[in-house]
Amino acid sequence: GENVEQHPSTLSVQEGDSAVIKCTYSDSASNYFPWYKQELGKRPQLIIDIRSNVGEKKDQRIAVTLNKTAKHFSLHITETQPEDSAVYFCAATLSGTYKYIFGTGTRLKVLA
Amino acid sequence: GAVVSQHPSWVICKSGTSVKIECRSLDFQATTMFWYRQFPKQSLMLMATSNEGSKATYEQGVEKDKFLINHASLTLSTLTVTSAHPEDSSFYICSGRREGWGDEQFFGPGTRLTVL
């Protein structure tokens, strides 16, 4: 079946540094790619998303890039802060449906 | 935005009993609702998709007779875990999709189920 790979599984950065999380999807017809931040015991919170007809999107310290040819998309967080520490999930829609396939998650730790 | 609630937020039950979890869209009509299960330190795994007024579609490997899903109205979907066992202990999260709002899903706060 279709899947989404996510790397790295854990990431530690110093406060103020940048963090990059990468995902690769298998369904070439996927057209929507959201990124979620999840704190322990809480719901996933949408932080940014991108559609397949766009290559890059930015919202303040957060940006997402999409390479459709390579079927890669990445989350970039600049000027990281301790409150950015959480688990981040990428997802991709399954073509022809509104279903999400989630990546395996990245635990980000921002060290003060 | 669009708000989704779940009830209860946590539940503890004995093995062999059934538990019902409610998922409500508070300020929009959710034509489609999704149910996910998340084990500790793992990702969200889609269990089933439900459309109002029709039978749920279950993902491969999910027992439809064990996880009963009802989507009786555009604002309410329920998940009933029947004959629960300790291995069913997990975090269950629902989401709703609003017609005309594209692909975005709005997530509920989750329900922590512990089966003793």
Side-chain angles (χ1 to χ4, degrees), chain B residues 37-40 86-92 111-115:
Chain B
R37 181 167 52 181
Q38 186 177 32
F39 292 109
E87 56 265 30
D88 299 322
S89 298
S90 188
F91 193 48
Y92 291 87
T111 296
R112 172 76 58 194
L113 170 64
T114 301
V115 184

Side-chain angles (χ1 to χ4, degrees), chain B:
Chain B
V3 181
V4 174
S5 70
Q6 280 184 242
H7 178 80
S9 55
W10 59 271
V11 57
I12 301 173
C13 70
K14 293 182 178 180
S15 186
T17 61
S18 295
V19 173
K20 180 184 284 189
I21 301 169
E22 292 187 348
C23 175
R24 292 184 184 272
S25 54
L26 299 185
D27 55 1
F28 70 101
Q29 293 184 328
T31 49
T32 306
M33 285 186 169
F34 303 88
W35 287 94
Y36 296 85
R37 181 167 52 181
Q38 186 177 32
F39 292 109
K41 296 188 177 182
Q42 294 190 22
S43 187
L44 285 80
M45 296 300 295
L46 180 64
M47 299 175 66
T49 303
S50 73
N51 292 292
E52 185 263 341
S54 58
K55 289 185 178 181
T57 303
Y58 291 81
E59 295 301 304
Q60 191 172 8
V62 177
E63 301 174 58
K64 63 179 181 180
D65 294 330
K66 180 171 183 61
F67 298 99
L68 302 179
I69 292 172
N70 184 279
H71 193 162
S73 77
L74 286 171
T75 59
L76 174 64
S77 178
T78 60
L79 167 67
T80 301
V81 183
T82 62
S83 186
H85 289 96
E87 56 265 30
D88 299 322
S89 298
S90 188
F91 193 48
Y92 291 87
I93 307 174
C94 70
S95 70
R97 179 187 159 266
R98 183 173 181 172
E99 192 66 38
W101 278 39
D103 299 281
E104 186 175 358
Q105 294 179 23
F106 301 94
F107 286 85
T111 296
R112 172 76 58 194
L113 170 64
T114 301
V115 184
L116 302 178

Side-chain angles (χ1 to χ4, degrees), chain A residues 60-104:
Chain A
Q60 299 182 357
R61 297 188 297 111
I62 296 173
V64 55
T65 58
L66 172 65
N67 182 329
K68 282 178 57 179
T69 302
K71 293 188 283 187
H72 288 167
F73 59 114
S74 300
L75 176 70
H76 303 253
I77 306 175
T78 60
E79 301 173 22
T80 54
Q81 301 165 4
E83 50 265 38
D84 294 329
S85 297
V87 180
Y88 291 80
F89 292 99
C90 62
T93 51
L94 185 65
S95 61
T97 78
Y98 293 105
K99 297 180 183 180
Y100 289 175
I101 304 171
F102 278 88
T104 47

Side-chain angles (χ1 to χ4, degrees), chain A residues 13-109:
Chain A
V13 299
Q14 291 292 327
E15 182 178 1
D17 287 350
S18 296
V20 180
I21 303 171
K22 299 181 179 181
C23 289
T24 303
Y25 60 98
S26 60
D27 186 346
S28 58
S30 292
N31 60 6
Y32 177 69
F33 308 90
W35 282 91
Y36 289 90
K37 174 184 181 181
Q38 188 181 32
E39 297 178 348
L40 189 62
K42 301 289 181 64
R43 78 183 83 198
Q45 176 188 359
L46 179 69
I47 55 172
I48 197 166
D49 57 8
I50 193 168
R51 298 202 64 86
S52 58
N53 58 350
V54 176
E56 184 173 359
K57 183 177 179 181
K58 188 175 182 180
D59 182 5
Q60 299 182 357
R61 297 188 297 111
I62 296 173
V64 55
T65 58
L66 172 65
N67 182 329
K68 282 178 57 179
T69 302
K71 293 188 283 187
H72 288 167
F73 59 114
S74 300
L75 176 70
H76 303 253
I77 306 175
T78 60
E79 301 173 22
T80 54
Q81 301 165 4
E83 50 265 38
D84 294 329
S85 297
V87 180
Y88 291 80
F89 292 99
C90 62
T93 51
L94 185 65
S95 61
T97 78
Y98 293 105
K99 297 180 183 180
Y100 289 175
I101 304 171
F102 278 88
T104 47
T106 296
R107 185 170 302 274
L108 173 65
K109 293 182 183 178

